[in-house]
């Protein structure tokens, strides 16, 4: 189904979200990595969500913190506790996954609410017009992002240590 998602030629943020829902995390990550600094707040938010799905909760917190003042984040979490509400949700997901503590049904419902609100925002902002060349919406890495990527490879931070 990943090929069918790609062939839709949607805005890359919508495509990344569909890949996450299809459990094709590598395709979602590929797209997010090309849009991981301002003004691509939508992709940065999705990048955080992707890390939550992967179980990388501290990375999720960092991405959510980076976008907490953005329109997209506020549209999804503004009325549900903002950044503190989102981080609390991430902590509850982590508690369930690592310790078996928490209400799975409630967390699934909250995750669905977050994804649905994000999807609605993306559709409203970007629509379903085809984008044949996704590179037209990619942005370069910020200096902070470049340094973090360098540290992941050579500095011993993160899971990519060689």
């Amino acid at each position: 189904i990943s090929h069918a998602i790609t062939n839709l030629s949607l805005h890359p943020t919508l495509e990344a979200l569909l890949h996450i829902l299809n459990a094709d995390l590598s395709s979602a990550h590929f797209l997010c990595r090309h849009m991981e600094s301002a003004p691509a707040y939508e992709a940065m938010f999705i990048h955080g969500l992707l890390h939550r799905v992967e179980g990388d909760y501290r990375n999720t917190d960092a991405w959510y913190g980076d976008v907490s003042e953005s329109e997209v984040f506020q549209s999804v979490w503004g009325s549900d506790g903002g950044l503190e509400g989102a981080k609390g949700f991430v902590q509850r997901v982590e508690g369930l996954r690592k310790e078996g503590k928490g209400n799975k049904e409630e967390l699934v419902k909250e995750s669905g609410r977050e994804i649905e609100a994000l999807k609605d925002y993306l559709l409203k902002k970007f629509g379903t017009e085809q984008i044949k060349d996704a590179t037209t919406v990619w942005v370069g890495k910020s200096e902070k992002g470049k340094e973090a990527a360098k540290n992941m490879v050579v500095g011993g931070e993160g899971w990519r240590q060689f």
Side-chain angles (χ1 to χ4, degrees), residues 36-37 63 141-152:
E36 58 185 17
S37 59
W63 282 110
K141 280 189 188 302
S142 66
E143 289 305 313
K144 177 183 171 185
K146 288 177 187 176
E147 188 62 27
K150 179 180 147 199
N151 287 338
M152 286 178 138

Side-chain angles (χ1 to χ4, degrees), residues 32 59 77 112:
C32 289
N59 218 336
W77 282 103

Side-chain angles (χ1 to χ4, degrees), residues 6-70:
T6 302
N7 282 340
L8 293 172
S9 299
L10 296 170
H11 189 276
T13 55
L14 283 161
E15 183 180 333
L17 190 59
L18 288 173
H19 284 306
I20 291 170
L21 292 171
N22 186 45
D24 183 357
L25 304 184
S26 60
S27 291
H29 232 135
F30 173 82
L31 291 167
C32 289
R33 283 189 187 118
H34 290 288
M35 301 176 290
E36 58 185 17
S37 59
Y41 296 109
E42 298 82 10
M44 294 166 67
F45 185 178
I46 292 168
H47 205 150
L49 188 148
L50 171 61
H51 281 290
R52 189 187 78 228
V53 171
E54 293 175 328
D56 184 355
Y57 305 108
R58 298 306 62 86
N59 218 336
T60 298
D61 285 347
W63 282 110
Y64 281 11
D66 287 347
V67 300
S68 64
E69 300 298 318
S70 69

Side-chain angles (χ1 to χ4, degrees), residues 67-141:
V67 300
S68 64
E69 300 298 318
S70 69
E71 183 180 325
V72 62
F73 191 84
Q74 289 299 313
S75 76
V76 174
W77 282 103
S79 62
D80 287 297
L83 181 58
E84 293 309 310
K87 285 187 172 188
F89 170 64
V90 171
Q91 288 172 348
R92 291 190 305 277
V93 170
E94 183 177 14
L96 181 67
R97 283 191 174 163
K98 290 184 175 180
E99 302 166 18
K101 295 179 182 176
N103 184 323
K104 182 178 180 178
E105 202 172 290
E106 282 182 14
L107 293 172
V108 167
K109 183 177 177 182
E110 183 65 9
S111 179
R113 184 209 60 80
E114 179 187 38
I115 291 169
E116 186 74 20
L118 181 55
K119 175 206 52 120
D120 290 346
Y121 179 92
L122 296 172
L123 285 172
K124 183 177 179 183
K125 182 167 183 176
F126 301 118
T128 58
E129 297 286 325
Q130 287 195 333
I131 297 178
K132 292 294 185 184
D133 181 4
T135 64
T136 61
V137 298
W138 291 358
V139 296
K141 280 189 188 302

Side-chain angles (χ1 to χ4, degrees), residues 147-162:
E147 188 62 27
K150 179 180 147 199
N151 287 338
M152 286 178 138
V153 175
V154 297
E157 295 180 23
W159 59 272
R160 291 188 207 178
Q161 184 177 4
F162 294 104

